[in-house]
Amino acid sequence: MIDMKERLLLKSETIPIIPKHVRFEFNEVRKEWVLLAPERALYPDKIAIAVLKKCDGKVSIQMIGKELAEIYKAPVEKIIEDIIVMLQDLADKGFLKEC
Amino acid sequence: MLKKLEAPLAILGEISHRCPLSCAYCSNPIELIEKNKELDTDTWLRIIDEAADLGIHQIHFSGGEPTVRKDLEQMVEHAHKRKLYTNLITSAVLLTRERLEKLKKLGLEHVQVSFQDSENENANRIGNFKGGHEKKLEIAKLVREFDMPLTINAVMHRQNLHHLDDMIKMSVDLDADRLEVANVQYYGWALKNRAAFMPTKNQLEASMEIVEKARKDLKGILVIDYVLPDYYAKRPKPCMGGWGRQFLNISPEGNVLPCHAAETIKSFKFDNVKDKSLSWIWENSEPFNKFRGTDWMPSPCKTCDRREIDWGGCRCQALALTGDINAVDPTCEFSPLHEKIFGSAAEESSNEAPEFIYRLYSNKEVEPIKK
């Protein structure tokens, strides 16, 4: 029997990754980014797209935050906070894992 | 690319009406499509191409029981190649380890397994299939062993709602990602058996409490979706997210429908994939355009602030319960029939449950499994 999983609680040092069974991709017909999960299709907004592109299992939320803070000229703590809220929601649905 | 409309998000392919189970709550139409009228492989592969060209994201292989078709593998492989997200909606009783492994290799991305109860004997009585529950458990475990996400579809009603807690526990034990607590909807064959399935108001309230608590306790572990038995609702369900808005359904013989119960509307002539392309049908088919958007709505709906949330509820239900396809869905509290519907549900559920009228593919009624 498989061990029961625990809720993943994201922190700034978590390295997030989109799991294999979820696809984050650009639909060439619709010309838009979409997150495809079991029986769900989500359309992320501009900021979410920027964040999800970085969820490749290589960088931590803190590093993603730093990078986006520079691009959007916003305080890094606030950006990290916002990223955690957004990604926690996806993690709770099973659409995001940690590396 | 379509000019006037957004493309649908997903396609529900009912590749066959054949099914080894005889669930009395089957929502497929009374008249099932025979095997020799089913679309052939090439036509399904063409539909998949047309769906991908339209920008459709997902394809759900369903039925009946989709695994009765030996060419399911070809369909899954082709859909995956065309980048559609592939989902198998199955009773699981015909699947084997070898076949599931092959489907996974060919690109199957998600499996939804239906369960009739958490308890062996009652589950097999409801589905009228010996050994069915054990087989479902075995296949559900294999889905996770092969590292595919798993949804448990639990069809709930007055004869198994007392096991809802166990059903949730079973889903966690199976390491499912999602549990759909789907109260029986009364379409097609199911309408014959309404009195055998309609829960009492008390059962319903207890089950909602259980779901609320489990959602909190199992946050991040199990997602629980809840489909209300809408006879007891105040507002109707936004059927299919709105008629002709996000989904299209293809029947085993190729009729393109706004929802899988739409053929209960006998006055409609549905277009068929053998005659027209999917994109033509999505844009031009008369049944699709009839209830699209909000212009068609009767008076309390037209000005309702929820008109773009409920989308006028369910047309098949309006027809089945009022005889008028254009009527307000009577599960809405603003329908003049709402009280009557609510009352009839409460009354039916308080009487002793009648025997099931089992469904069989041959349309004959069958003897239940001996206890």
Side-chain angles (χ1 to χ4, degrees), chain A residues 1 21 23 29-30 39-40, chain B residues 8 55 83 85 173 178:
Chain A
M1 200 69 213
H21 71 267
R23 279 161 35 191
V29 181
R30 291 174 184 262
E39 300 179 29
R40 295 278 186 281
Chain B
K83 293 180 82 178
Y85 195 101
D173 288 344
R178 191 161 67 98

Side-chain angles (χ1 to χ4, degrees), chain B residues 184-187 191 194 198-199 201 204 228-235 237 317 320-321 329-332 338-346 348:
Chain B
V184 171
Q185 304 285 309
Y186 302 100
Y187 299 106
L191 196 55
R194 196 174 66 191
M198 186 66 76
K201 191 91 196 311
L204 188 65
L228 198 82
D230 55 5
Y231 283 46
Y232 287 124
K234 278 193 170 171
R235 298 300 173 86
K237 61 177 175 284
Q317 186 147 269
L321 297 182
D329 183 335
T331 62
C332 177
H338 182 255
E339 239 171 272
K340 195 177 147 211
I341 297 295
F342 195 103
S344 72
E348 266 179 10

